[in-house]
Amino acid sequence: MRQNTVKRRLILFLFLFLFLLIILLISGRHEAIAEMIAAGSRPNYVAFSPDGKYIYVSNYSDDTIAKIELSTGDTVAVYNTGYEPLSLCLLESKNKLYAANRGDGTISEIDLSSGASVSFSIGNSPWDIVSSPDGDRLYVSLNGDKAIKIFDTTTGEAVATIQLEQTPTGLAITADGSRLFVANRDDDSISLIDPEGGNVVDTIGVGDGPAALECDGNGNYLYVANSYDGTISVVRTWDFVVIKTVEVGRNPIELGMTHSGDRLFVSCNGDDTLYAIDTDTLSTTKIEIEGGPKGLAVSPDDSQICVACFTSDSILRFYNYLIKVISISKNAVNSQGTSCIRWVPETAGNYSIEVGGNYSPSSGTILETGQCQQNLEKESCIRGSQLGQAEGTYRIFLYLKNDPDEYGLNSTEIRLDNTPPSAPTGLEASPGNHKVYLAWNRGSESDLQGYRIYYGTKSGIYDAGPPITIWDADETSYILKELKNNVTYYIAITAFDEAGNESAYSSETKSMPEVILGLAGLSGAKQKEGCFIATASFGSPDHWIVRKFRFLRDHYILRLPEGRRVAGIYYRYSPGIARFIERNKMVRTACRVALLIIAMHIISLQLFGKIWPLSLTIMAVFSMLFIIPRIRKNRGGS
Amino acid sequence: MEVKTAITSVFFGITTCLLLFSKSAAAVETRFWKDLWKGREYFVQAQAGSYIPDNKNWKKIYGTDASFISEIRGGLSFSRNAEISASAGFCTDHGRGITGSGAESRQEFTIFLIPTSIELSYKLRYSDNQIIVPALGAGADGWYYEEDGGEEGKWTGFKTGGHITMRFNFLLDYLDPTGAKRVEKNYGLQNSYLSFEGKYISFSGAPDFSGWTLYIGLNLQF
């Protein structure tokens, strides 16, 4: 009996051990799939090994190239280079890696078999390197010499120089090696160069500050990263014409295209974003990352992307599945507030939304998990209280795992802010006719979003109407309308910020709407009134039909520019017509009928918000039946 | 403000044209006019200055004691001492309305005034080259007004009244007699004066536009 118990305990222990082992293996695998990998100091450019298992990183401050094993994140080799290595060029056929060393004007050649490194002097400020298809020639743009040097990889010598008029930066070459393109950053142009002839064939203008170039696989299109204006110029190569410009983030600095040619990645150093451009539709997906993205590379099988994060000394690696963040309802929330993220996954699978972490699933606090369908929009709402306790900016990560355990990711930021803005100052109220004019000082907070106006007829009790919200922090005046004249209104305002924090009430002010007069009005001069014809027809400016016409004038006609023009013409000619109506009884009666019908329509407009055509007929008949006998009676009387 | 600027520009434009084309005007002046007005002078005066209304509400609404006003006056001198003239001017200002109880509002108001007048003046002029010519005058006024209060409405009307004037004309020919003679010979301009004028206008009834106008201007006698 006792032996059985021991056996059971052993079996249970074994199961538990196996369970924990599986969990550890799975979690370990997750961390290896999408992650930030430590690199050297100031990683600048990256290149995949031909088998996609390693990534080479040029460390700008270390003067080294690190070889990192992607499955473990370990640096397996470090190669010395010249001073300040910049771009990399890997020649698979020769098993060699070349780096352009901007600081000392050399290029480093690293034999990947032996790890031997040798540097060749090439010219001032080498910037970018591309190779001919056979790998025998390297083209190196020399920023300091306004030239492109042609380097023979077999002999290890510079064999020719293509002299340029502009300062070259990025280079690109077509797959067949027949056309070489160079970006002239200071000239806002790119040039087409014949590599064989060594001459500039054509130069065209692109966006502001072209820095990097990328050619698609079949050489039909060239993409230009314009670093100063945050755009990508799409150039059709056969006629060398810019056919489209796509907006991306600030300071796009490097381009990377999938080998299938369906997607172009752009790293934007100015706002820490990565853009994926669909090369068919040219639609963009923004991926927010951290750490100053610079160089990027796409793995040979197009499944992964590596981005050198210059300021965080790391490499960000993720799968080529995108999560498109469509919108975020609030960039800042308080602990009681909620912000909703609308997003679309590019593949079906399990997703998780986490706050914090290091780009590895489960490295942060998981807020939400679930399943999602391919290209089906989802909305995930995050409460401020879920972000944390301390105020500050929290990064929200969206992870997606599909069936073959491939990950997509994106991230965005939400700021937790529980500090309300200060109460608005300088609130002033001045009366108007059925209205009160308000003005106040703008608050000094940078995240101020607007103001709320509270008003009532008793001090401290703001119940005369719902608070009025102004969604513009720069708007510092408002007209409270449709108030009762000769009633004192007490008014206070509050300010609110992006997170929804509302300030205390401002100091209260009061005002009593009254009829407003100018000099002439105060002196008792007669106002120029509208509705001359109606007044003449009905004999009094206070007749209810005349009042309806005044309503029509004030609420509809004078609010439109055309209406005001018509009113101007009416005021010019109607006094004469009114005098004629006053003198002629028959005309006056006819006008009454016509105006009565129109008045009915105004009532219809007031009550129902639209004109009822049927009422025209009914009212016309009714009016005629009512008025014609009176006309006859008047005639008989006279 | 644009209207005021436009009117002022037109005003000074007309004055400049009168100066520039007075030669041709003189040429066109036919014998008929010479015969008819033999021994008589006619004059044109362009002036601008301040309108200082008595009405205290003006300052409350338009925020100033004195508004800019401009005027063109023209007339005939029957003798060395007497002249009759007519004038038309323009004045506008922009401010904010007030309630019946005097509380200030933010409702904007704009007033346009077109003052017109006729006047009989007596000049204390005893010689053609008298340097300073004082004058006293009186006349009738008709002022068109239009006050626009936006949503609050518009008030327009025409007010009549009377005025008395005191004017001092300083002979500019004295500064450059040779040039003055040449201009007289070539253009028919007999005298030109720098004119300072103070006028008190009185109206009865509302609205009350009574007040002073103080002008400085240029008087050209042909």
Side-chain angles (χ1 to χ4, degrees):
Chain A
M1 188 70 184
R2 193 174 173 180
Q3 274 185 338
N4 283 341
T5 312
V6 172
K7 267 186 184 174
R8 278 180 193 164
R9 280 182 182 173
L10 271 171
I11 290 164
L12 187 64
F13 179 76
L14 199 64
F15 267 114
L16 273 170
F17 177 75
L18 282 170
F19 179 70
L20 283 171
L21 194 66
I22 290 163
I23 293 289
L24 276 171
L25 282 171
I26 289 168
S27 60
R29 191 174 179 193
H30 282 189
E31 283 172 7
I33 286 172
E35 60 189 345
M36 293 288 270
I37 303 167
S41 181
R42 300 291 181 257
N44 215 341
Y45 282 80
V46 285
F48 270 94
S49 64
D51 59 4
K53 291 179 181 172
Y54 299 93
I55 187 91
Y56 297 95
V57 190
S58 64
N59 296 314
Y60 190 74
S61 295
D62 284 352
D63 303 335
T64 59
I65 291 173
K67 181 182 181 184
I68 297 170
E69 188 174 359
L70 288 169
S71 60
T72 61
D74 295 335
T75 301
V76 294
V78 175
Y79 310 106
N80 289 322
T81 62
Y83 186 45
E84 295 177 343
L86 213 61
S87 60
L88 300 174
C89 181
L90 194 139
L91 299 183
E92 188 181 352
S93 58
K94 297 180 184 292
N95 202 26
K96 284 179 180 174
L97 180 67
Y98 291 87
N101 306 311
R102 193 171 69 170
D104 61 5
T106 61
I107 54 168
S108 294
E109 180 188 85
I110 296 151
D111 188 327
L112 296 175
S113 314
S114 64
S117 171
V118 60
S119 291
F120 303 98
S121 184
I122 193 80
N124 286 317
S125 294
W127 190 281
D128 200 4
I129 312 177
V130 291
S131 72
S132 59
D134 57 8
D136 287 344
R137 282 180 160 196
L138 290 181
Y139 300 92
V140 185
S141 61
L142 298 174
N143 195 257
D145 290 342
K146 294 187 178 178
I148 294 170
K149 208 79 144 184
I150 302 173
F151 182 82
D152 191 319
T153 56
T154 315
T155 61
E157 289 177 348
V159 291
T161 302
I162 302 170
Q163 204 59 44
L164 305 168
E165 290 182 359
Q166 311 298 338
T167 309
T169 49
L171 294 173
I173 193 163
T174 51
D176 61 0
S178 64
R179 282 172 290 178
L180 177 69
F181 303 97
V182 58
N184 309 311
R185 191 167 66 178
D186 298 338
D187 186 44
D188 301 337
S189 67
I190 57 167
S191 297
L192 167 63
I193 292 167
D194 175 11
E196 292 300 321
N199 59 306
V200 176
V201 178
D202 197 3
T203 298
I204 57 165
V206 287
D208 197 0
L213 304 176
E214 186 74 28
C215 212
D216 67 353
N218 47 23
N220 290 335
Y221 295 100
L222 177 74
Y223 300 88
V224 185
N226 302 307
S227 58
Y228 298 156
D229 64 8
T231 61
I232 303 295
S233 299
V234 184
V235 179
R236 192 169 54 210
T237 53
W238 70 266
D239 56 354
F240 207 44
V241 170
V242 177
I243 56 165
K244 188 87 178 176
T245 301
V246 182
E247 287 193 9
V248 291
R250 281 193 290 126
N251 194 21
I253 199 161
E254 181 61 333
L255 303 170
M257 179 163 278
T258 55
H259 297 83
S260 62
D262 62 344
R263 186 171 282 171
L264 177 78
F265 288 94
V266 186
S267 64
C268 300
N269 188 255
D271 56 4
D272 281 2
T273 55
L274 192 69
Y275 276 76
I277 300 174
D278 185 315
T279 52
D280 281 338
T281 62
L282 296 181
S283 63
T284 59
T285 299
K286 183 170 114 179
I287 304 159
E288 287 188 28
I289 55 176
E290 291 173 308
K294 289 198 90 174
L296 65 92
V298 181
S299 66
D301 62 356
D302 285 348
S303 67
Q304 297 175 66
I305 294 99
C306 276
V307 185
C309 297
F310 190 77
T311 53
S312 65
D313 294 343
S314 58
I315 305 294
L316 174 65
R317 180 171 71 97
F318 57 96
Y319 270 87
N320 187 10
Y321 286 108
L322 300 179
I323 300 172
K324 185 167 191 163
V325 174
I326 298 169
S327 67
I328 179 161
S329 65
K330 291 173 89 176
N331 291 311
V333 291
N334 56 24
S335 292
Q336 291 79 43
T338 301
S339 179
C340 294
I341 302 167
R342 286 171 57 222
W343 53 279
V344 176
E346 204 175 57
T347 180
N350 296 316
Y351 73 90
S352 68
I353 296 187
E354 299 178 18
V355 57
N358 58 1
Y359 290 90
S360 302
S362 304
S363 61
T365 307
I366 297 172
L367 305 178
E368 185 181 316
T369 56
Q371 288 189 322
C372 56
Q373 299 298 313
Q374 185 180 11
N375 296 328
L376 198 67
E377 186 181 314
K378 281 193 78 72
E379 187 175 66
S380 301
C381 293
I382 295 159
R383 292 191 306 279
S385 57
Q386 290 179 294
L387 294 174
Q389 295 293 318
E391 290 188 351
T393 301
Y394 291 85
R395 184 159 285 279
I396 310 297
F397 291 92
L398 295 90
Y399 298 107
L400 174 66
K401 189 185 87 169
N402 68 5
D403 216 7
D405 277 0
E406 294 171 328
Y407 275 75
L409 71 85
N410 206 334
S411 75
T412 187
E413 287 180 343
I414 298 177
R415 188 165 50 82
L416 180 66
D417 175 11
N418 287 316
T419 308
S422 53
T425 57
L427 176 63
E428 287 178 0
S430 61
N433 191 10
H434 292 287
K435 56 187 171 245
V436 168
Y437 295 88
L438 298 174
W440 58 90
N441 299 330
R442 193 199 186 283
S444 57
E445 290 82 1
S446 58
D447 64 340
L448 203 64
Q449 195 165 42
Y451 307 93
R452 260 184 211 107
I453 299 166
Y454 297 85
Y455 62 107
T457 52
K458 288 177 186 168
S459 178
I461 302 168
Y462 307 117
D463 58 355
I468 293 156
T469 303
I470 298 168
W471 293 95
D472 183 355
D474 294 325
E475 185 63 65
T476 54
S477 63
Y478 188 77
I479 304 172
L480 274 174
K481 290 183 176 175
E482 296 178 7
L483 304 178
K484 289 177 185 168
N485 271 0
N486 305 314
V487 173
T488 301
Y489 287 87
Y490 296 85
I491 303 145
I493 64 169
T494 61
F496 60 91
D497 61 20
E498 288 173 7
N501 300 303
E502 190 169 357
S503 73
Y505 287 125
S506 67
S507 55
E508 187 180 83
T509 187
K510 65 178 181 178
S511 184
M512 186 170 73
E514 283 183 71
V515 172
I516 303 300
L517 299 165
L519 190 84
L522 282 168
S523 309
K526 196 179 173 186
Q527 191 172 356
K528 186 176 180 178
E529 272 287 353
C531 309
F532 295 111
I533 292 172
T535 306
S537 301
F538 293 98
S540 165
D542 294 324
H543 194 279
W544 70 270
I545 290 179
V546 181
R547 288 204 301 272
K548 291 294 163 204
F549 276 91
R550 245 183 253 131
F551 171 85
L552 181 74
R553 178 198 66 188
D554 295 339
H555 288 81
Y556 291 94
I557 295 170
L558 292 182
R559 289 186 180 185
L560 300 167
E562 299 82 9
R564 285 194 285 275
R565 275 201 292 276
V566 171
I569 296 165
Y570 173 81
Y571 285 137
R572 195 178 306 157
Y573 298 110
S574 61
I577 300 168
R579 282 193 293 275
F580 175 72
I581 292 167
E582 280 172 345
R583 287 196 298 266
N584 195 314
K585 194 184 278 181
M586 274 299 290
V587 175
R588 198 160 62 235
T589 308
C591 282
R592 280 181 183 180
V593 174
L595 293 174
L596 181 66
I597 292 165
I598 298 169
M600 289 300 166
H601 284 78
I602 299 169
I603 294 166
S604 160
L605 201 63
Q606 276 180 289
L607 294 177
F608 309 110
K610 62 178 183 178
I611 293 172
W612 295 62
L614 188 63
S615 65
L616 173 70
T617 318
I618 295 167
M619 287 303 146
V621 173
F622 176 77
S623 306
M624 294 307 283
L625 288 173
F626 179 71
I627 289 166
I628 287 169
R630 292 187 69 178
I631 296 169
R632 283 180 180 161
K633 190 180 170 185
N634 285 341
R635 275 185 177 170
S638 61
Chain B
M1 200 62 194
E2 288 80 8
V3 174
K4 188 194 277 186
T5 312
I7 295 291
T8 311
S9 304
V10 169
F11 173 77
F12 284 107
I14 290 168
T15 311
T16 311
C17 288
L18 283 169
L19 286 168
L20 289 173
F21 299 109
S22 53
K23 182 182 178 181
S24 48
V28 170
E29 187 185 46
T30 59
R31 194 170 288 166
F32 169 79
W33 286 105
K34 282 185 177 173
D35 292 345
L36 187 64
W37 303 112
K38 199 168 185 180
R40 298 185 177 94
E41 295 171 346
Y42 60 93
F43 70 91
V44 174
Q45 184 168 330
Q47 53 190 7
S50 294
Y51 165 53
I52 307 164
D54 292 344
N55 196 330
K56 299 296 176 196
N57 286 329
W58 185 280
K59 187 176 184 183
K60 283 183 184 173
I61 296 165
Y62 296 107
T64 178
D65 285 319
S67 295
F68 179 81
I69 191 167
S70 56
E71 187 182 80
I72 289 180
R73 200 164 69 89
L76 288 168
S77 296
F78 289 107
S79 68
R80 183 175 276 178
N81 301 102
E83 67 182 22
I84 189 166
S85 63
S87 71
F90 182 75
C91 175
T92 183
D93 221 319
H94 191 74
R96 287 176 173 173
I98 54 177
T99 66
S101 57
E104 290 178 9
S105 170
R106 284 176 179 268
Q107 175 63 54
E108 295 188 341
F109 275 71
T110 303
I111 194 164
F112 298 96
L113 297 172
I114 299 177
T116 58
S117 71
I118 52 169
E119 182 183 295
L120 194 63
S121 310
Y122 183 78
K123 297 188 284 187
L124 303 172
R125 186 186 182 197
Y126 302 106
S127 78
D128 287 342
N129 296 319
Q130 188 173 322
I131 296 171
I132 300 174
V133 182
L136 290 168
D141 294 80
W143 283 32
Y144 171 79
Y145 67 90
E146 184 175 306
E147 192 172 32
D148 190 352
E151 292 180 5
E152 300 303 322
K154 193 183 270 188
W155 289 260
T156 57
F158 191 77
K159 295 284 296 177
T160 53
H163 73 265
I164 53 168
T165 307
M166 177 169 266
R167 189 178 301 114
F168 290 94
N169 286 346
F170 291 83
L171 186 64
L172 294 173
D173 298 2
Y174 181 75
L175 300 174
D176 181 11
T178 317
K181 278 181 184 171
R182 194 172 64 245
V183 170
E184 183 178 357
K185 190 181 173 185
N186 293 338
Y187 304 106
L189 180 66
Q190 291 185 11
N191 291 108
S192 57
Y193 293 95
L194 182 65
S195 175
F196 294 91
E197 180 188 302
K199 188 191 316 188
Y200 184 78
I201 311 121
S202 178
F203 295 96
S204 60
D208 186 7
F209 293 114
S210 300
W212 284 93
T213 55
L214 302 175
Y215 288 116
I216 181 169
L218 188 66
N219 182 309
L220 306 173
Q221 295 202 342
F222 297 93

